[in-house]
Amino acid sequence: KAVPDLSSFPLLLIHEVPLHTTETLQDATKEIAVLMMDDGDSPLGGFIKKLLKTINEELSGRKAQERIQMMLSGACDVAKTSELDEMYEIERASRSGLTSSSSAVSTET
């Protein structure tokens, strides 16, 4: 199993994003949002935006896989998935401490 490089955390290697734990990706997202607020116009701005997009896509995919597994195992019915989405977003927002304006930056391409 490959060990992802954390030497430049929170700036992760884009091709290694799938190798990181969900917790590491969530922590990186929080730290990168702070970097964007402090120095959004830096030469790394384009890379940071691409990294955030890649991390958000990875986290969304993992969330979808988790919901599918819950539905297949019978732990959750299909009607309750919207409740799971809402709980996930609340948890994500509380962990990241992001405002809606800074989270909008994280989804730009």
Side-chain angles (χ1 to χ4, degrees), residues 1-9 11-22 24-25 62:
K1 182 177 179 180
V3 178
D5 179 17
L6 288 170
S7 64
S8 60
F9 185 85
L11 299 178
L12 308 174
L13 297 173
I14 290 176
H15 69 277
E16 289 188 353
V17 165
L19 303 176
H20 289 283
T21 65
T22 299
T24 298
L25 296 177
R62 290 180 186 187

Side-chain angles (χ1 to χ4, degrees), residues 23-91:
E23 183 177 351
T24 298
L25 296 177
Q26 290 169 337
D27 290 345
T29 301
K30 288 188 287 191
E31 296 293 326
I32 292 169
V34 171
L35 285 175
M36 291 292 289
M37 286 188 282
D38 293 343
D39 197 19
D41 295 331
S42 76
L44 289 175
F47 170 78
I48 291 172
K49 288 177 184 177
K50 185 174 181 179
L51 177 60
L52 278 173
K53 180 180 183 227
T54 302
I55 290 172
N56 286 333
E57 288 172 352
E58 179 68 23
L59 290 173
S60 293
R62 290 180 186 187
K63 181 182 112 184
Q65 287 178 341
E66 183 179 312
R67 287 189 350 218
I68 290 168
Q69 288 301 319
M70 288 178 70
M71 286 185 281
L72 291 174
S73 70
C76 172
D77 65 26
V78 177
K80 292 187 179 181
T81 58
S82 63
E83 292 174 20
L84 290 173
D85 287 341
E86 185 177 328
M87 289 179 356
Y88 175 80
E89 291 303 322
I90 291 169
E91 178 183 331

